Each structure stands twice: as structure tokens, then as C-alpha cells.
């Protein structure tokens, strides 16, 4: 299937128009509810665009956007969350509370065959993790890199309001608390607060986590194909 955003941001499942060979489904929503950065059609031109799409005349406008795969490992279970097109927020459900976690970057260096990793203990307000598509959304507002190509398989992360201890090196901690992770690596969090939550693409999809849970994030989710006129 290919996603066509109409008047609204198609990261919201209830605001998508999905086109395939067998179905054409549309949910109309107020266009003022979302910025619509991923929209290709409007209410004024969709009647002209849909016949062109079905005839294959706009196939060159189809872009591949890589999404985030998120897995939560608990004591007795493992849960795969819906893929994130834009970003994931992992934080304590109370904004005024401290989010405590250990952040690891893991993966394999194919040249040396060795695990390439770092580990960082964080007391903070949580962490943003975004795909290339989400680099111009909340991540950019938080001070992230908005220049990543939208076709990139890389993701970026940023620890929010990182609290440094007396023995922490400010320069080293700052450099590790934000960065780019290529598709050969992934992020792993060990949640050290009593309560927490993972939000996928905004406030609607939330998964509660607890002390000791592990959260794995990579760009290995199935990519999304969508019509877009945005720079690629």
C-alpha cells in the first residue's frame, strides 16, 4: 500500500487515506488539526489527483520513509510497538518527575567484528528519538539536527534536560547525550525509574513501562511508501 496524506499529517492512523489495488478508504478531518508536512493532496485537488494515482501517473512522487522499530522487554514479556514515522518520546508520565535510565548504543562494526557501544547513565526529563522524517518536528524544536536527508536510514536522539552529577565530565556527557545513530546500530535503554511511558508519534499511542524494562529502538521497521512533494 501507499499512503496519501490529505489535509492532515498521516502519522495519525485515524487521519490516513490508504490506496491499494482493492480498497480506497478515506477519513475526512479538519485540516486545522495538523500542520500537514507529509500531505500531498488537499480537499480542493484530491478529486483530480486520485485518478492520476490509480493510473500510475504519479508514481515518481512516491517516497520511501524509514520508520523506527520499538521493542519493550519486560520481565515476562516482549512487546513490539507500532512503527514510528516521526519520533518516540520515552519519559516519566509526570512532567515534573526525573526520568532515570541507562542509555547504550549497540551494534556490530563489520570491519573489526567487535561490538561498538557506549553507555551513559541519565537523570533527565526523558529522551527524544527521531527518524529522518521526524528530524524537522519535535526534535528540531528541541535543538536537534533538521538537515538530515529524509531518505536517510539514520536516526537521532537527544536526552532532555540532562542533569549532570558532580563527577560527570560536562563535555563528554553533553557529546554523548545527543547524536546520530546509523542503521547498523541501535539504542537500548534500561529504565531505572519506578514508572515510565513510551509515546509513539505523539500522545495517542502510549505504552507504560516500569523499573527494569528495556527499550530497544532502531530504524529496522518496515519502511513507509507515501506520496510526497517534499525534498528527499
Amino acid at each position: 500500500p501507499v499512503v496519501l496524506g490529505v489535509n492532515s499529517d498521516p502519522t495519525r492512523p485515524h487521519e490516513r487515506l490508504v490506496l491499494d489495488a482493492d480498497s480506497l478508504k478515506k477519513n475526512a478531518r479538519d485540516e486545522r488539526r495538523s500542520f500537514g508536512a507529509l500531505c500531498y493532496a488537499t480537499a480542493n485537488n484530491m478529486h483530480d489527483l486520485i485518478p492520476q494515482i490509480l493510473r500510475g501517473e504519479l508514481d515518481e512522487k512516491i517516497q520511501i520513509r524509514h520508520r523506527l522499530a520499538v521493542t519493550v522487554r519486560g520481565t515476562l514479556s516482549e512487546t513490539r510497538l507500532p512503527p514510528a514515522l516521526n519520533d518516540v518520546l520515552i519519559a516519566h508520565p509526570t512532567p515534573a518527575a526525573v526520568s532515570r535510565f541507562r542509555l547504550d548504543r549497540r551494534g556490530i562494526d563489520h570491519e573489526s567484528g567487535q561490538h561498538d557501544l557506549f553507555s551513559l547513565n541519565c537523570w533527565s526529563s526523558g529522551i527524544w528519538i527521531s527518524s529522518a522524517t521526524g528530524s524537522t518536528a519535535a526534535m528540531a524544536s528541541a535543538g536537534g539536527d533538521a538537515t538530515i536527508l529524509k531518505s536517510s536510514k539514520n536516526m537521532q536522539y537527544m536526552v532532555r534536560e540532562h542533569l549532570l552529577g558532580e563527577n560527570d565530565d560536562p563535555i563528554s556527557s553533553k557529546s554523548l547525550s545527543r547524536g546520530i545513530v546509523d542503521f547498523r546500530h541501535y539504542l537500548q535503554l534500561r529504565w531505572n525509574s519506578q514508572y515510565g511511558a513510551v509515546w509513539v508519534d505523539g500522545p495517542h499511542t502510549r505504552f507504560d513501562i516500569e523499573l527494569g524494562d528495556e527499550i530497544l529502538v532502531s530504524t529496522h521497521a518496515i519502511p513507509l511508501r507515501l506520496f510526497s512533494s517534499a525534498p528527499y
Side-chain angles (χ1 to χ4, degrees):
V2 184
V3 173
L4 173 66
V6 180
N7 284 352
S8 179
D9 194 327
T11 56
R12 297 183 178 183
H14 59 283
E15 295 179 357
R16 290 178 181 168
L17 187 152
V18 180
L19 299 175
D20 57 30
D22 301 318
S23 65
L24 182 61
K25 301 178 181 179
K26 173 179 175 292
N27 288 325
R29 287 291 184 269
D30 186 349
E31 66 181 301
R32 293 171 295 180
R33 292 179 56 187
S34 179
F35 179 70
L38 296 177
C39 295
Y40 184 70
T42 68
N44 296 326
N45 66 9
M46 63 179 297
H47 295 291
D48 296 326
L49 287 178
I50 288 178
Q52 297 179 54
I53 289 172
L54 295 177
R55 292 193 297 266
E57 297 173 3
L58 297 177
D59 286 356
E60 71 277 3
K61 297 297 184 179
I62 297 176
Q63 296 183 4
I64 305 298
R65 299 296 182 95
H66 296 279
R67 299 186 288 177
L68 303 178
V70 184
T71 302
V72 177
R73 291 178 178 173
T75 304
L76 301 175
S77 64
E78 179 173 302
T79 304
R80 293 184 180 180
L81 304 188
L85 178 58
N86 279 328
D87 48 46
V88 171
L89 172 62
I90 306 172
H92 195 285
T94 302
V98 174
S99 297
R100 294 179 294 172
F101 56 89
R102 187 186 70 238
L103 173 66
D104 299 299
R105 188 187 76 168
R106 299 186 179 275
I108 295 293
D109 185 328
H110 295 287
E111 294 183 0
S112 65
Q114 300 296 318
H115 285 277
D116 178 24
L117 60 88
F118 70 77
S119 184
L120 180 67
N121 287 316
C122 299
W123 286 48
S124 68
S125 295
I127 183 172
W128 281 113
I129 306 173
S130 78
S131 66
T133 297
S135 64
T136 56
M139 181 64 77
S141 299
D145 185 357
T147 63
I148 299 177
L149 293 176
K150 298 301 181 289
S151 59
S152 174
K153 295 181 180 180
N154 297 342
M155 62 181 177
Q156 66 173 307
Y157 69 94
M158 177 180 293
V159 178
R160 306 165 72 207
E161 300 170 352
H162 191 186
L163 175 64
L164 300 181
E166 294 181 358
N167 299 322
D168 292 333
D169 180 356
I171 296 178
S172 176
S173 296
K174 183 177 181 179
S175 66
L176 293 178
S177 64
R178 59 188 295 176
I180 306 295
V181 180
D182 66 41
F183 69 96
R184 295 172 299 180
H185 297 80
Y186 63 93
L187 293 176
Q188 178 174 323
L189 280 77
R190 199 274 187 183
W191 192 250
N192 293 328
S193 292
Q194 185 174 3
Y195 304 108
V198 181
W199 287 270
V200 177
D201 278 339
H204 301 292
T205 302
R206 165 177 165 168
F207 187 86
D208 291 331
I209 55 178
E210 59 184 18
L211 177 67
D213 285 352
E214 293 185 343
I215 305 98
L216 284 69
V217 184
S218 71
T219 55
H220 295 164
I222 297 175
L224 185 70
R225 302 171 67 237
L226 58 84
F227 291 96
S228 177
S229 57
Y232 195 45

